[in-house]
Amino acid sequence: FKLEYIFYRKDRVKKILSKLKVIPIKKNYGWCDDTRSKSYNKFVKLQIINRYIKNLSNDKKKDYLY
C-alpha cells in the first residue's frame, strides 16, 4: 500500500513537515469500520450512515493517523 496523507490533531500537534499531504482532523472526519461498506477502512466525512471510529477522542494514540 502507499501512504498518501497524514491526518493530525491540530489542537495537540503544532506543525508537521512532510512530503505527504498533511490534513488537520475536523469533528466530522472519521474512519469507516463497516466491512459491508464500500468505504470500509477509508477516511469518511461523518454524514455517511455506517459505523465509524471517531478520530477526535481523548486517546493520544489518535493524535496522528497515517
Side-chain angles (χ1 to χ4, degrees), residues 8-65:
Y8 72 100
R9 294 275 310 253
K10 191 174 181 177
D11 61 323
R12 293 188 183 172
V13 179
K14 296 297 178 200
K15 190 170 184 179
I16 298 175
L17 298 175
S18 176
K19 291 184 179 185
L20 298 174
K21 185 173 182 176
V22 179
I23 303 169
I25 298 171
K26 296 182 181 179
K27 289 184 180 184
N28 67 328
Y29 286 3
W31 201 261
C32 180
D33 68 348
D34 183 350
T35 56
R36 299 165 295 171
S37 171
K38 66 180 179 179
S39 298
Y40 174 68
N41 207 24
K42 293 182 182 178
F43 160 74
V44 293
K45 291 190 178 179
L46 292 177
Q47 68 264 20
I48 298 172
I49 301 170
N50 279 319
R51 297 181 313 131
Y52 300 98
I53 300 170
K54 285 196 173 182
N55 292 322
L56 289 176
S57 69
N58 290 325
D59 185 357
K60 296 223 182 256
K61 294 175 189 173
K62 293 181 182 170
D63 284 355
Y64 302 91
L65 299 171

